[in-house]
Amino acid sequence: MKITILGCGSSAGVPLVTGEWGDCNPNVWQNHRTRSSIALHTERQTWLIDTSPDLRYQCLREQITQVDGVLYTHGHFDHIGGLDDLKPFSLHQKKPIKIWGDALTIHGLRLRYPYAFLDTNLDSPSVYQPFMEETIIEGPFDVDDVPVIPFIQDHRYSTTLGFRFPTWAYSTDVWHLDDTAFEVIAGIELWIVDCLAPLPQRTHSHLERTLNWIERVNPKRAILTHMGHFMDYATLLAELPSHVFPAFDGMQLEV
């Protein structure tokens, strides 16, 4: 499996829409961050984790022309806002896009995008027909015969889903992880994990906490994602342990 970091920025991206760069050097291209999402490439299929508001640009940039399904971590806009950009993939592939999420996330998607789901009765041209087929995550499942174990993450005022694959895991939008989560991800070789800022945050992990988690899990590699505009790429690269790296948009990982 190959992983592409489609975006590794916070909910506002870097720079902010107001042009603010914070501590990030605008002359370092790795500091230009779209909203967080990744693509998973198996031998036959391409799946996404989340559909950020920047999805169209991300797919064009990475030349992604096929999307077979999406795993949703939660229903916050910066992780679902590109959902409508799945429609051209569905039309091109002549089949609905499969999406997976917990019951609350699927319910929220149905409220925001009622026209997108297959059981919607629309008397409209084919270009406007529903294009999504949902499955509620209630336990382990497979993505193109690859086993996935979901686990609950504390996002302070809500919860999100993390995903454990055979040798790696993805944890974004997480403030606290309990012992059950650590048991699920024990033994992974790669962890892509939330790290919003250098200092403590209200709903996301910060640098010290994330590094403590990484030390506990002890993967061969860890990649920091969902980074805000106070997380300068070059500064992090110089200070992080040798097996921990800041993500950048377009980063490729083999697992």
Side-chain angles (χ1 to χ4, degrees):
M1 182 180 288
K2 184 179 75 173
I3 302 167
T4 301
I5 304 290
L6 297 179
C8 61
S10 61
S11 61
V14 181
L16 307 186
V17 70
T18 54
E20 296 172 69
W21 286 89
D23 291 335
C24 290
N25 183 346
N27 296 316
V28 175
W29 66 266
Q30 291 92 338
N31 282 328
H32 295 246
R33 300 177 184 131
T34 56
R35 271 69 70 91
S36 290
S37 176
I38 66 174
L40 323 174
H41 312 280
T42 68
E43 290 185 3
R44 298 174 296 182
Q45 298 186 356
T46 295
W47 283 65
L48 309 179
I49 297 185
D50 293 334
T51 51
S52 89
D54 303 306
L55 182 63
R56 178 181 178 276
Y57 167 74
Q58 292 167 340
C59 288
L60 289 171
R61 186 193 69 211
E62 300 304 323
Q63 300 181 13
I64 293 174
T65 59
Q66 172 184 333
V67 173
D68 296 280
V70 183
L71 311 182
Y72 280 105
T73 60
H74 64 305
H76 288 174
F77 181 76
D78 57 314
H79 294 265
I80 68 169
L83 178 145
D84 205 60
D85 288 329
L86 296 174
K87 181 163 46 178
F89 291 106
S90 175
L91 292 171
H92 178 71
Q93 295 160 195
K94 297 181 173 57
K95 63 180 181 179
I97 304 297
K98 299 176 182 179
I99 65 168
W100 296 68
D102 63 22
L104 182 62
T105 299
I106 296 298
H107 177 68
L109 291 174
R110 281 184 162 273
L111 289 177
R112 286 176 180 257
Y113 306 96
Y115 58 87
F117 290 86
L118 289 181
D119 59 359
T120 305
N121 184 18
L122 292 179
D123 183 17
S124 60
S126 59
V127 70
Y128 295 119
Q129 287 298 304
F131 57 92
M132 305 192 72
E133 181 179 7
E134 83 274 22
T135 298
I136 294 177
I137 295 174
E138 296 179 330
F141 57 95
D142 287 353
V143 168
D144 193 24
D145 297 327
V146 177
V148 185
I149 304 173
F151 55 96
I152 295 175
Q153 305 176 139
D154 181 358
H155 197 16
R156 193 68 180 275
Y157 301 107
S158 61
T159 60
T160 64
L161 288 182
F163 297 108
R164 161 73 192 261
F165 295 79
T167 62
W168 65 282
Y170 186 73
S171 295
T172 189
D173 288 62
V174 52
W175 181 76
H176 172 73
L177 289 170
D178 61 18
D179 289 340
T180 299
F182 282 109
E183 290 171 5
V184 170
I185 62 176
I188 57 173
E189 297 178 4
L190 169 69
W191 193 13
I192 305 170
V193 58
D194 189 24
C195 191
L196 179 64
L199 298 176
Q201 302 293 307
R202 297 178 65 190
T203 58
H204 287 260
S205 185
H206 64 287
L207 187 57
E208 181 181 6
R209 177 174 292 176
T210 298
L211 290 177
N212 286 337
W213 289 347
I214 292 169
E215 184 176 4
R216 176 173 176 175
V217 175
N218 194 30
K220 292 181 180 178
R221 290 180 296 166
I223 309 295
L224 307 184
T225 194
H226 210 288
M227 294 178 291
H229 64 310
F230 294 109
M231 297 283 278
D232 178 69
Y233 179 84
T235 301
L236 287 167
L237 200 61
E239 296 177 352
L240 289 171
S242 60
H243 65 301
V244 181
F245 305 89
F248 55 84
D249 286 19
M251 187 181 210
Q252 302 282 328
L253 301 163
E254 298 283 344
V255 291

